[in-house]
Amino acid sequence: MGEVKVSVERSVATMTVSRPEKLNAFDIDMLKALAGACDEVEANASVRVAILTGEGKAFSAGGDVKAWGGMAANEFGHAWVRFGHRVFERLATLRMPVIAALNGHALGGGLELAAAADIRIAESQIRIGLPETSLGMVPGWSGTQRLTKRFGAQIVRRMVLGGEMFSAEEARGHGLVDAVVETGTVLAAARDYAARIAARGPAALEIAKLMIASANGEDNGSAVEALGSILVAKTGDLKEGVAAFAGKRAAEFKGEW
């Protein structure tokens, strides 16, 4: 049975997908474990950056075919695809920047997992791709949606329609990963980059991440509402409104920011 391990050192959390005997492929329990890990990291006020990686020789082989292969169509669409989509969205919308440390191949749902991160660093030996159509299915955890927004439609067409697989260097050339490092060094590289991020203002990082997501058409408006709520929460008008409610009186707003 797999799990997602969480460790925190100073201001950096590391989430490790741990099902190495299955190349870190996801089943329902693993999806639940990832959701729980996201909640744990989000709730830790000391965490400014998160690193996501895999245990063993793979980052993630995606969805475990044995986990979904026998599902009825309705169950597959709801209990598998929609649930996995919600979990990956949870990862993508963590308040802090997320670095995917690709220690091994990232295929199908594994690439969709990596795409939910803000920065991707890959070891030189890895390969990435979206092979779902070779099984008669389509990417279901935002492979045609988030990946198209972040990397462009044409490169997604080549992976999904043409079944092209890319080396780490090819992926870097297409913007699918941000840096390529030697085998066995990706966690060290990710930690170095995490330290670089953690040295910056945490509030500014969180707000900038929301702004970028909004500009990229992600989050369906939740980024805009979160930004507005953060701004309003600091105003004198809100304090007056809450005080008036508690005192059962009419609020006297002064337009105080």
Side-chain angles (χ1 to χ4, degrees), residues 12 49 51-52 99-101 121 185-195:
V12 179
V49 191
I51 295 171
L52 177 69
I99 301 168
I121 302 174
T185 67
V186 74
L187 264 181
R191 287 172 182 143
D192 285 345
Y193 204 95

Side-chain angles (χ1 to χ4, degrees), residues 46-61:
S46 71
V47 174
R48 297 186 181 184
V49 191
I51 295 171
L52 177 69
T53 194
E55 184 174 325
K57 61 183 180 179
F59 177 72
S60 175

Side-chain angles (χ1 to χ4, degrees), residues 5 29 38 57 81 107 113 124 145 164 183-184 198 211 215 222:
K5 302 173 182 176
D29 287 338
C38 288
K57 61 183 180 179
V81 174
L107 303 173
L113 178 69
S124 58
Q145 304 301 305
E164 292 188 48
T183 299
M211 292 168 69
S222 66

Side-chain angles (χ1 to χ4, degrees), residues 29-243:
D29 287 338
M30 284 290 288
L31 288 172
K32 291 177 179 178
L34 178 58
C38 288
D39 289 345
E40 180 179 345
V41 169
E42 184 87 76
N44 190 330
S46 71
V47 174
R48 297 186 181 184
V49 191
I51 295 171
L52 177 69
T53 194
E55 184 174 325
K57 61 183 180 179
F59 177 72
S60 175
D64 187 343
V65 177
K66 290 184 178 180
W68 59 262
M71 291 182 176
N74 185 61
E75 182 185 12
F76 179 73
H78 289 83
W80 182 256
V81 174
R82 293 191 69 182
F83 178 60
H85 211 282
R86 290 196 299 273
V87 174
F88 280 30
E89 188 70 10
R90 180 76 181 92
L91 174 65
T93 56
L94 282 174
R95 61 173 172 79
M96 73 287 293
V98 179
I99 301 168
L102 307 184
N103 57 299
H105 299 337
L107 303 173
L111 178 53
E112 292 168 316
L113 178 69
D118 300 288
I119 302 291
R120 280 155 293 283
I121 302 174
E123 292 189 353
S124 58
Q125 82 281 2
I126 78 156
R127 294 182 68 79
I128 69 172
L130 295 169
E132 287 90 341
T133 53
S134 68
L135 297 174
M137 67 174 293
V138 296
W141 292 339
S142 211
T144 62
Q145 304 301 305
R146 180 176 294 112
L147 269 71
T148 296
K149 290 176 180 176
R150 295 193 171 186
F151 310 126
Q154 194 56 32
I155 197 65
V156 175
R157 287 189 182 100
R158 289 174 61 181
M159 290 188 288
V160 175
L161 306 181
E164 292 188 48
M165 304 277 285
F166 297 112
S167 68
E169 283 294 348
E170 289 171 331
R172 185 178 64 83
H174 293 305
L176 294 165
V177 301
D178 300 292
V180 177
V181 298
E182 294 181 4
T183 299
T185 67
V186 74
L187 264 181
R191 287 172 182 143
D192 285 345
Y193 204 95
R196 178 178 183 170
I197 293 174
R200 297 173 178 268
L205 289 171
E206 182 175 351
I207 291 171
K209 178 171 176 173
L210 285 167
M211 292 168 69
I212 294 166
S214 178
N216 204 39
E218 300 180 28
D219 294 353
N220 297 319
S222 66
V224 173
E225 292 186 348
L227 286 169
S229 297
I230 290 169
L231 176 61
V232 170
K234 296 180 179 295
T235 64
D237 276 358
L238 177 63
K239 293 180 177 66
E240 166 60 16
V242 172

